[in-house]
Amino acid sequence: MSAVTFQQLALFVATLSVAILSPGPGIIAVSQSAFAMGRSRALPYGWGLAVGASSWCLAALLGLTLLFSALPWTFTLLTILGGLYLVWVALKMWRHAADPLPDPADSALGMNFRAGMMLNLSNPKPALFYSAVLLSIFPATLRLADKALIYATALSVEMAFYSALACLMALPLLRRRYYAAKFWIDRAAALAIGLLGLSLVLRL
């Protein structure tokens, strides 16, 4: 019999949903992707973001935070590398803000499933968030089936959120607004992601 109850899962979904709504590099990046390339290209990117984010839940379930506790330098190293990766992404966005709109069929744009996953894997702090949430909601001892259920729930919530965001931001009205102000929107998105990356490093 499962040690996880429906009420616990519902609380987990509610807590995760509120956390996802806080602005972060994933939200900024999938919005910019949907503006520039439309729903068909933004969805795979969003799904990559969802898999990357939920991977930290899996890592927490498998005990990654125990490694961070035993060897604090590993968390520091991952945080620095993640922050530098976000800064690199921001620099690319800033540099190409003045470029014409890309061809949606161009596979070399870099906004694909893998790129989305890497972006959300660049910040290890969600591992600590997931660990705190898991410990506060679920029993200390979980079977493999329970862990699989929790991870599937996290993945479903992340997938639903990023899919909805990609579809919403690709609406014709919003895309037309983006076309009219592409340069400044891209520069603002690059600045926001760059600041998030720097904050990872400077807050250590």
Side-chain angles (χ1 to χ4, degrees):
M1 184 175 179
S2 175
V4 175
T5 67
F6 174 79
Q7 290 79 9
Q8 289 170 338
L9 281 178
L11 180 58
F12 179 57
V13 169
T15 304
L16 182 55
S17 299
V18 171
I20 291 174
L21 289 173
S22 62
I27 291 178
I28 298 168
V30 77
S31 298
Q32 197 262 357
S33 174
F35 286 149
M37 293 176 289
R39 183 178 61 186
S40 62
R41 284 300 306 273
L43 276 174
Y45 188 65
W47 295 335
L49 287 164
V51 171
S54 62
S55 294
W56 289 117
C57 175
L58 183 61
L61 287 167
L62 296 178
L64 179 62
T65 47
L66 295 178
L67 173 64
F68 290 160
S69 298
L71 301 171
W73 65 267
T74 59
F75 178 74
T76 301
L77 176 63
L78 283 174
T79 300
I80 292 173
L81 292 177
L84 293 176
Y85 177 75
L86 290 181
V87 170
W88 178 74
V89 170
L91 288 174
K92 285 183 62 180
M93 292 178 65
W94 183 277
R95 188 164 55 246
H96 294 289
D99 292 354
L101 285 169
D103 181 354
D106 187 354
S107 61
L109 292 173
M111 285 189 170
N112 49 33
F113 180 89
R114 180 178 175 276
M117 185 170 66
M118 290 300 298
L119 185 68
N120 263 349
L121 284 175
S122 66
N123 180 7
K125 289 194 174 183
L128 301 180
F129 165 79
Y130 270 113
S131 292
V133 171
L134 295 175
L135 288 172
S136 64
I137 294 177
F138 298 106
T141 304
L142 293 169
R143 300 182 307 157
L144 183 60
D146 296 326
K147 293 180 178 181
L149 176 60
I150 294 170
Y151 171 69
T153 301
L155 177 61
S156 298
V157 173
E158 299 275 5
M159 288 285 282
F161 174 80
Y162 281 110
S163 296
L165 184 62
C167 292
L168 176 64
M169 294 304 177
L171 291 175
L173 175 61
L174 294 177
R175 293 193 74 194
R176 285 196 297 270
R177 296 286 180 87
Y178 170 77
Y179 296 155
K182 175 186 181 296
F183 177 82
W184 297 111
I185 292 175
D186 286 6
R187 282 285 170 93
L191 185 61
I193 290 179
L195 289 174
L196 287 168
L198 286 175
S199 71
L200 282 179
V201 178
L202 297 178
R203 284 188 299 188
L204 289 174

